[in-house]
Amino acid sequence: MSHTAWEQKAKEYPWHTRTIPPEFSTPQQNDPWGITKCPCIEWWNTRSPLFCCLFPCSNCYTGAKVVDGTDHTVWKEQLEKFQNGPESMRGVWWLKYNHAHEELVTIFNDTTFLGETNDDGTDGYGRWERSLGTNWSRDNSCFGHILVLNAKATGAKVGGLYNLKDGILTLDPGMQWVFRVDDNEWWKVHYEGDIGEEGEQKYNFIYQWLKVIDKDGEPTEHWAEYVNWSKEPLPHRNCGEPWFPCWPCCSVSDQERFLNMCRPNPKQVVMFRE
């Protein structure tokens, strides 16, 4: 489809059917998907050494690098080289409370916008697309490396429609929406049904996109919290953590595992874009 066709399609989309939740919450903490599967093996721990002997093999295949996630300067070159999208939306974003072992992303710098936008990112309609592979960091963990391997092997992309006038993005096929709070914060909301389906208003997963590094490579007001979360001990620890990744006797609860999974590994694995 042409840019004009995507713009028209986005303008006709029923944006009015949903609004941003009245307050931020993490409903996934009460019903955390997948966390109850094999909890005695620390696949879910962002800092676990489980299968760490295979990490170099993974990096050899993907071309990924292990970087200091608490050093904002590692992103400066990427921010200077790739500057797609509205200027106000560029930078590095932290996927806070997404417990899937992925942390920092240059979301909009590497996004293709098929439609119209303005420089302020406050107007325009169309379709957006982005690779799941490059400039998307994962934790230096077993789960994190699996995500990098999958992105490399499949070449998968994420995309949907956008309405920058109201500050809303969708993700295909429409059960996930992202709402702009301000220039440095968006909320990604997962609904149980698509528009017109049962569960279209009921959400079961919310996390924040927080801009931690601005377009010029300088930290924002959210950077200090990201660094603290990366350096602080896990909020819920076991007797042998971090070197004994199996817990048949001294396990933690689902809610405690969720909170642990939200804490970044100080070391991040990322395939930088060439």
Side-chain angles (χ1 to χ4, degrees), residues 13 35 41 55 58 65 108 111 114 116 133 191 195:
Y13 191 76
I35 295 180
I41 300 177
F55 294 177
S58 171
K65 296 181 179 179
F108 302 110
T111 291
L114 305 173
E116 295 297 323
Y191 295 89
I195 297 297

Side-chain angles (χ1 to χ4, degrees), residues 28-44:
Q28 64 270 28
Q29 182 175 353
N30 300 317
D31 185 22
W33 176 87
I35 295 180
T36 56
K37 296 179 180 178
C38 300
C40 62
I41 300 177
E42 272 198 331
W43 62 269
W44 45 267

Side-chain angles (χ1 to χ4, degrees), residues 1-11 15 84-86 108 110-117 124-130 157-164 169 172:
M1 293 174 62
S2 67
H3 284 222
T4 302
W6 279 120
E7 181 181 5
Q8 187 60 35
K9 183 177 178 65
K11 286 182 176 180
W15 300 103
N84 289 356
F108 302 110
D110 293 271
T111 291
T112 299
F113 289 87
L114 305 173
E116 295 297 323
T117 64
Y125 294 83
R127 177 173 176 79
W128 67 280
E129 295 179 348
R130 194 204 189 283
K157 294 182 178 182
V158 62
L161 299 178
Y162 66 83
N163 166 8
L164 297 184
L169 313 174
D172 297 334

Side-chain angles (χ1 to χ4, degrees), residues 18-193:
R18 289 171 175 159
T19 59
I20 187 171
E23 61 181 6
F24 180 79
S25 63
T26 54
Q28 64 270 28
Q29 182 175 353
N30 300 317
D31 185 22
W33 176 87
I35 295 180
T36 56
K37 296 179 180 178
C38 300
C40 62
I41 300 177
E42 272 198 331
W43 62 269
W44 45 267
N45 187 341
T46 58
R47 304 175 189 178
S48 172
L50 183 69
F51 300 131
C52 62
C53 59
L54 299 177
F55 294 177
C57 300
S58 171
N59 292 338
C60 182
Y61 168 69
T62 63
K65 296 181 179 179
V66 180
V67 301
D68 180 358
T70 64
D71 178 7
H72 68 276
T73 65
V74 301
W75 293 96
K76 188 172 181 62
E77 181 179 352
Q78 298 297 310
L79 292 173
E80 291 174 347
K81 287 173 62 176
F82 307 106
Q83 300 185 357
N84 289 356
E87 188 173 330
S88 65
M89 298 167 67
R90 298 174 195 162
V92 178
W93 299 78
W94 173 24
L95 311 184
K96 186 182 180 185
Y97 291 112
N98 175 18
H99 57 290
H101 288 215
E102 46 190 0
E103 306 292 347
L104 302 175
V105 191
T106 59
I107 299 174
F108 302 110
N109 284 61
D110 293 271
T111 291
T112 299
F113 289 87
L114 305 173
E116 295 297 323
T117 64
N118 66 356
D119 291 338
D120 294 332
T122 57
D123 199 6
Y125 294 83
R127 177 173 176 79
W128 67 280
E129 295 179 348
R130 194 204 189 283
S131 166
L132 284 172
T134 54
N135 290 344
W136 193 309
S137 86
R138 275 82 177 191
D139 294 301
N140 191 33
S141 64
C142 175
F143 190 4
H145 279 274
I146 289 174
L147 294 175
V148 177
L149 287 164
N150 180 70
K152 175 69 174 181
T154 64
K157 294 182 178 182
V158 62
L161 299 178
Y162 66 83
N163 166 8
L164 297 184
K165 184 176 182 179
D166 295 322
I168 309 174
L169 313 174
T170 72
L171 278 75
D172 297 334
M175 293 171 62
Q176 300 176 28
W177 284 29
V178 195
F179 297 91
R180 180 176 58 216
V181 178
D182 56 43
D183 280 351
N184 289 353
E185 181 175 358
W186 294 62
W187 294 357
K188 185 167 183 282
V189 184
H190 296 214
Y191 295 89
E192 294 188 359

Side-chain angles (χ1 to χ4, degrees), residues 221-265:
E221 70 273 20
H222 299 298
W223 177 249
E225 183 181 26
Y226 175 78
V227 172
N228 288 338
W229 275 38
S230 299
K231 292 185 175 182
E232 290 174 351
L234 296 177
H236 303 283
R237 305 175 70 182
N238 279 304
C239 52
E241 186 270 333
W243 296 111
F244 187 60
C246 298
W247 307 107
C249 299
C250 46
S251 63
V252 295
S253 69
D254 289 347
Q255 288 73 24
E256 290 170 340
R257 276 191 288 276
F258 168 79
L259 294 174
N260 279 358
M261 291 179 77
C262 294
R263 295 295 173 131
N265 189 314

